[in-house]
C-alpha cells in the first residue's frame, strides 16, 4: 500500500483492499476516509467491505464519496469536519489519492491553517501536483466566482526588483505603446549592491532605498499585490485574494528568498548578540556598529552552499571589516575566520591570486566545507557542519565575538511549487534566450531563474535587454533575436579604496568591460573603487531602471542553421 503523508494527522493513498486494513491498524492508523463513490471501477471493493474490516480492526471508517474532477465546496467542508472529528492518524483514499489530497488542501485553505505555497509544497512532496486548484486555494478553498474581475496585459512582469523594473523600462523604450504591468507588493525599492558599503561605513542606508512609485517606469501599470500562484496553461497569474491577471507574455523576476530559518537559532538572534548580515537593509548598519566596536576577539564571516546572490558579498564584508581593524591598529588582536560551505575562495580562478594576497594581509583563516547550521546568540557560539571530501561529516562549535552571516537562499515559495520550476525550485529557462523551456510565452531573469550565471545586479542589467528584445520579437512573430552570455560582475571590495573587479560569463570566461590598461580586473584597482562608489549607483537608478542600456547591448542570436 502506497500511503503518503501530508501532515502529522493525515496520509493519502490509492484504493486500498479490505485485507490491508489490519496492517493499517498495526501501523497506527486509527481512522479511514473513503473519497471514492461505490461502483466507480470494476475492480473496486465496496466501502461496506472496507468498513467491516475497519470495524474488526478497531479503526473508524467514514464514507465521503466525491466524483472525480468535481470536488464541491460542500465536499471540502465535510472533509475538514471529518479531519476534526476522527481520531488520528487518518488515512484517506480514492482511486489514485489525488481527490483525497485535493480535499485536504482545500480544507487547509478554508481553515487558514497554512499558506498556499506550503499546501502546494506538501502535496508536491507527496507526489501530487495541485497547481490546477491553486486559484481555488487562493480563494480560501472555495470555488472562485466567474472571472468578471480579471484584468489582462500584453506583458505582465512579476517582481519590481532590479530585473523586473529594468526589463519593463527596456520594453517601453523599444515600444512605448506596449501594455505592460508589474506585480509587486513592496512599497520601496532597494539598491542591494550598496549594502556591503553600508556595512563598511561608506554609504548611509538612505542611499540604497527609494519609494517604489518613483522607480516604476512611466506608462507601466503597478499592481501592488502578492502573487499566490501561476496558471501557465491559462496564461494567468493568481494574486492573494484570488484576483486573476491574464497576460499575452509573462516575465518572472521576483528575486529569491533569504532562508534565515534554515539555520537553527539564527532568526531569534539577528541584529543582536554580535550577529549581523549585510544581506538585510536594516542589519547592514549593525555590521558597521559591530566592526567599529570590536577591539579584540574572534570575528566569523560565513558563506552557505551555492547558489546565492552576489557570491563575493560574504568575503567583501570580511575584507572591509579587516581593513578597518588594520587601519585602527587592532587587527593583531582579532582572529578573522572565513567559513565557507564550498571548497574554493572564489569560483573564477583568475581572481583568486589577488584575493589571496588580502587573505594573507589580514591573516584570515580560510575554513572550507564549513556550513553554518546553528547559532546560540546569547552564548556567542556557532555550530558548523563540516563535509570535507572523503571524510565523515562532523560538527564543529566555534565561539565568536562578531559573526556576519550569509543565509541560505532559495526560490520564492510561490515559484518553487509552481509548474514553472525545475527540480530545485528555480524558473526553468534556456540559458541563452532566457525563455522558459516548456512555456513559449514566458521568460525569466534575475536571481529566480536557473541559468548557471552569477546572481548579481550586473547580470540582471545584461539580461533585461535580452529579454526585452526577445519578447518584442515574439510579439512580432519572430524567433529570438538576442542571447545572454552569462555575464555577471562582482566588485570585490578588498580594502577601502580598492576593488578587484571580477567580470565573467558562462564557464568562468572573463568578460571585462574596460581595456586592461584602464582596469585590470584581476588586480586591485582604485579606479574600480571609484566605479563602485561613485558611478554604479547613478547608473543603476538613472540608466538601468530607465531602460538606458549603457554597456548592456544584447548579443544577437545565432542565425538559423549557424
Amino acid at each position: 500500500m502506497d500511503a503518503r503523508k501530508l501532515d502529522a494527522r493525515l496520509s493519502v493513498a490509492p484504493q486500498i483492499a479490505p485485507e490491508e486494513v489490519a496492517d493499517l491498524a498495526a501501523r497506527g492508523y486509527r481512522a479511514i476516509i473513503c473519497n471514492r463513490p461505490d461502483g466507480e471501477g470494476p475492480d473496486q471493493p465496496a466501502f461496506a467491505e472496507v468498513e467491516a474490516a475497519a470495524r474488526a480492526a478497531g479503526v473508524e471508517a467514514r464514507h465521503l464519496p466525491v466524483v472525480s474532477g468535481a470536488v464541491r465546496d460542500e465536499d471540502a467542508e465535510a472533509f475538514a469536519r471529518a479531519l476534526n472529528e476522527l481520531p488520528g492518524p487518518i488515512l484517506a483514499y480514492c482511486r489514485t489519492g489525488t481527490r483525497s489530497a485535493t480535499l485536504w488542501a482545500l480544507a487547509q485553505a478554508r481553515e487558514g491553517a497554512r499558506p498556499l505555497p506550503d499546501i502546494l509544497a506538501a502535496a508536491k512532496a507527496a507526489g501530487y501536483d495541485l497547481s490546477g486548484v491553486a486559484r481555488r486555494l487562493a480563494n480560501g478553498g472555495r470555488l472562485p466566482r466567474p472571472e468578471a474581475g480579471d484584468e489582462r496585459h500584453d506583458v505582465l512582469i512579476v517582481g519590481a526588483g532590479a530585473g523586473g523594473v529594468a526589463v519593463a523600462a527596456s520594453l517601453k523604450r523599444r515600444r512605448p505603446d506596449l501594455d505592460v504591468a508589474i506585480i509587486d507588493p513592496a512599497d520601496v525599492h532597494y539598491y542591494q549592491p550598496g549594502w556591503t558599503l553600508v556595512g563598511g561605513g561608506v554609504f548611509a542606508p538612505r542611499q540604497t532605498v527609494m519609494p517604489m512609485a518613483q522607480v516604476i517606469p512611466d506608462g507601466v501599470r503597478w499592481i501592488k499585490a502578492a502573487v499566490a500562484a501561476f496558471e501557465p496553461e491559462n496564461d494567468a497569474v493568481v494574486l492573494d485574494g484570488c484576483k486573476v491577471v491574464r497576460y499575452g507574455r509573462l516575465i518572472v523576476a521576483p528575486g529569491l528568498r533569504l532562508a534565515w530559518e534554515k539555520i537553527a537559532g539564527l532568526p531569534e538572534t539577528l541584529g543582536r548578540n554580535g550577529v549581523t548580515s549585510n544581506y538585510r537593509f536594516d542589519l547592514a548598519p549593525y555590521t558597521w556598529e559591530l566592526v567599529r566596536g570590536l577591539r579584540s576577539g574572534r570575528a566569523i564571516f560565513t558563506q552557505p552552499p551555492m547558489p546565492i546572490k552576489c557570491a563575493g558579498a560574504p568575503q567583501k564584508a570580511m575584507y572591509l571589516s579587516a581593513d578597518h581593524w588594520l587601519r585602527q591598529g587592532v587587527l593583531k588582536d582579532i582572529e578573522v575566520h572565513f567559513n565557507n560551505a564550498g571548497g574554493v575562495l572564489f569560483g573564477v580562478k583568475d581572481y583568486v591570486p589577488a584575493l589571496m594576497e588580502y587573505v594573507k594581509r589580514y591573516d584570515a583563516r580560510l575554513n572550507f566545507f564549513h556550513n553554518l547550521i546553528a547559532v546560540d546568540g546569547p552564548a556567542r557560539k556557532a555550530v558548523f557542519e563540516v563535509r570535507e571530501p572523503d571524510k565523515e561529516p562532523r560538527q564543529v562549535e566555534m565561539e565568536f565575538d562578531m559573526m556576519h552571516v550569509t543565509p541560505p537562499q532559495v526560490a520564492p515559495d510561490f515559484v518553487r511549487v509552481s509548474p514553472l520550476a525545475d527540480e530545485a525550485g528555480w524558473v526553468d529557462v534556456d540559458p541563452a534566450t532566457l525563455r522558459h523551456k516548456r512555456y513559449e510565452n514566458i521568460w525569466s531573469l534575475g536571481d529566480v531563474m536557473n541559468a548557471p550565471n552569477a546572481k548579481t545586479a550586473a547580470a540582471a542589467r545584461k539580461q533585461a535587454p535580452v529579454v526585452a528584445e526577445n519578447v518584442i520579437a515574439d510579439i512580432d512573430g519572430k524567433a529570438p533575436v538576442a542571447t545572454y552570455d552569462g555575464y555577471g560582475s562582482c566588485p570585490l571590495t578588498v580594502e577601502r579604496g580598492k576593488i578587484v573587479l571580477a567580470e565573467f560569463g558562462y564557464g568562468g570566461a572573463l568578460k571585462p568591460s574596460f581595456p586592461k590598461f584602464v582596469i585590470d580586473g584581476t588586480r586591485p584597482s582604485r579606479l574600480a573603487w571609484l566605479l563602485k562608489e561613485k558611478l554604479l549607483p547613478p547608473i543603476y537608478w538613472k540608466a538601468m531602471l530607465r531602460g538606458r542600456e549603457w554597456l548592456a547591448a544584447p548579443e544577437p542570436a545565432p542565425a538559423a542553421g549557424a
Side-chain angles (χ1 to χ4, degrees):
M1 177 191 11
D2 183 17
R4 305 179 186 184
K5 190 172 183 178
L6 290 174
D7 62 22
R9 278 181 53 79
L10 181 73
S11 296
V12 298
Q15 175 70 55
I16 65 172
E19 55 268 25
E20 293 178 304
V21 174
D23 179 57
L24 286 170
R27 290 164 60 178
Y29 288 100
R30 299 174 63 199
I32 293 172
I33 301 175
C34 173
N35 296 127
R36 197 174 187 192
D38 279 343
E40 190 177 56
D43 58 347
Q44 171 189 350
F47 172 71
E49 298 175 58
V50 175
E51 184 179 32
R55 191 181 306 114
V59 175
E60 291 194 39
R62 187 171 296 189
H63 197 199
L64 299 175
V66 174
V67 176
S68 179
V71 180
R72 304 170 303 165
D73 286 349
E74 306 94 275
D75 298 325
E77 185 177 348
F79 192 84
R81 191 162 53 247
L83 291 181
N84 290 326
E85 294 172 355
L86 292 171
I90 303 168
L91 179 82
Y93 73 91
C94 57
R95 188 179 69 83
T96 64
T98 300
R99 262 171 287 177
S100 298
T102 300
L103 286 162
W104 167 83
L106 295 173
Q108 296 291 303
R110 290 173 72 90
E111 297 179 355
R114 60 180 71 192
L116 188 154
D118 289 359
I119 296 173
L120 294 177
K124 189 174 184 179
Y128 297 103
D129 179 7
L130 301 186
S131 57
V133 294
R135 191 183 308 191
R136 192 168 172 183
L137 294 173
N139 196 44
R142 294 167 177 80
L143 284 167
R145 294 179 302 166
E147 301 164 0
D150 293 0
E151 62 178 280
R152 187 190 182 282
H153 299 279
D154 293 339
V155 180
L156 183 63
I157 301 168
V158 174
V165 173
V167 75
S170 289
L171 284 167
K172 295 296 282 187
R173 283 254 167 190
R174 285 164 171 79
R175 191 153 295 179
D177 61 345
L178 190 64
D179 173 21
V180 180
I182 290 183
I183 302 173
D184 199 298
D187 292 307
V188 296
H189 181 103
Y190 294 107
Y191 176 56
Q192 296 183 35
W195 293 348
T196 294
L197 296 183
V198 173
V202 180
F203 280 2
R206 65 178 181 277
Q207 293 175 259
T208 68
V209 63
M210 188 174 290
M212 185 68 79
Q214 293 184 24
V215 300
I216 300 293
D218 291 341
V220 172
R221 169 160 159 67
W222 176 24
I223 302 172
K224 192 175 183 295
V227 171
F230 295 98
E231 290 184 353
E233 301 295 344
N234 298 322
D235 296 336
V237 171
V238 183
L239 308 182
D240 278 352
C242 204
K243 180 178 178 180
V244 175
V245 184
R246 298 183 176 276
Y247 56 81
R249 276 88 184 163
L250 175 68
I251 300 172
V252 184
L256 48 69
R257 184 174 73 81
L258 304 177
W260 306 98
E261 77 284 353
K262 288 183 177 290
I263 300 173
L266 179 59
E268 298 85 351
T269 196
L270 273 171
R272 51 185 173 274
N273 301 315
V275 181
T276 188
S277 179
N278 289 342
Y279 275 77
R280 225 170 71 182
F281 172 76
D282 61 318
L283 294 179
Y286 184 53
T287 301
W288 180 230
E289 178 185 328
L290 291 173
V291 170
R292 284 183 299 168
L294 191 66
R295 313 294 293 180
S296 63
R298 176 182 289 162
I300 301 175
F301 299 82
T302 76
Q303 180 167 319
M306 300 296 283
I308 62 172
K309 58 181 173 181
C310 194
Q315 57 186 294
K316 293 181 196 180
M318 174 183 69
Y319 297 137
L320 281 178
S321 301
D323 178 63
H324 176 79
W325 295 325
L326 180 63
R327 293 169 188 264
Q328 295 299 309
V330 298
L331 182 61
K332 63 184 185 302
D333 299 316
I334 297 175
E335 195 176 291
V336 179
H337 289 257
F338 185 61
N339 288 16
N340 185 353
V344 295
L345 182 61
F346 194 71
V348 183
K349 60 181 177 56
D350 301 76
Y351 301 105
V352 172
L355 300 178
M356 283 302 302
E357 291 178 15
Y358 281 90
V359 168
K360 293 174 183 175
R361 172 187 291 190
Y362 302 134
D363 193 25
R365 282 91 164 155
L366 299 181
N367 302 314
F368 294 122
F369 307 108
H370 280 56
N371 184 34
L372 179 65
I373 59 172
V375 180
D376 184 340
R380 303 277 179 125
K381 292 181 179 179
V383 179
F384 294 86
E385 184 178 52
V386 182
R387 289 183 171 269
E388 297 173 297
D390 304 320
K391 293 184 180 179
E392 288 295 315
R394 58 191 171 91
Q395 290 188 1
V396 173
E397 184 177 274
M398 296 179 67
E399 296 183 348
F400 63 85
D401 296 279
M402 167 190 168
M403 183 164 65
H404 178 277
V405 177
T406 301
Q409 295 165 35
V410 297
D413 294 340
F414 67 89
V415 170
R416 180 173 50 85
V417 300
S418 77
L420 307 185
D422 65 8
E423 290 185 358
W426 307 99
V427 179
D428 196 14
V429 301
D430 177 276
T433 64
L434 304 182
R435 191 180 210 165
H436 198 276
K437 290 181 180 177
R438 298 187 302 282
Y439 302 105
E440 292 193 347
N441 64 339
I442 298 178
W443 288 259
S444 184
L445 74 158
D447 297 343
V448 76
M449 55 86 171
N450 67 353
N453 63 283
K455 296 181 183 295
T456 67
R461 181 172 61 86
K462 285 277 193 172
Q463 293 159 8
V466 171
V467 172
E469 288 274 355
N470 289 339
V471 168
I472 295 295
D474 187 64
I475 291 172
D476 292 340
K478 300 176 182 176
V481 296
T483 59
Y484 171 58
D485 62 4
Y487 176 87
S489 175
C490 186
L492 291 148
T493 48
V494 289
E495 64 174 289
R496 190 170 183 131
K498 283 191 179 180
I499 276 177
V500 172
L501 183 59
E503 295 181 282
F504 47 90
Y506 288 138
L510 301 192
K511 297 281 184 180
S513 298
F514 306 95
K516 199 168 186 177
F517 69 85
V518 177
I519 295 179
D520 179 356
T522 65
R523 301 298 307 162
S525 162
R526 293 192 180 279
L527 190 56
W529 175 274
L530 178 66
L531 179 71
K532 168 77 173 176
E533 182 188 18
K534 302 295 185 184
L535 298 182
L536 288 184
I539 287 173
Y540 180 86
W541 295 115
K542 298 179 180 180
M544 176 179 171
L545 299 189
R546 296 184 182 179
R548 299 183 178 97
E549 297 158 4
W550 181 68
L551 292 178
E555 294 187 9

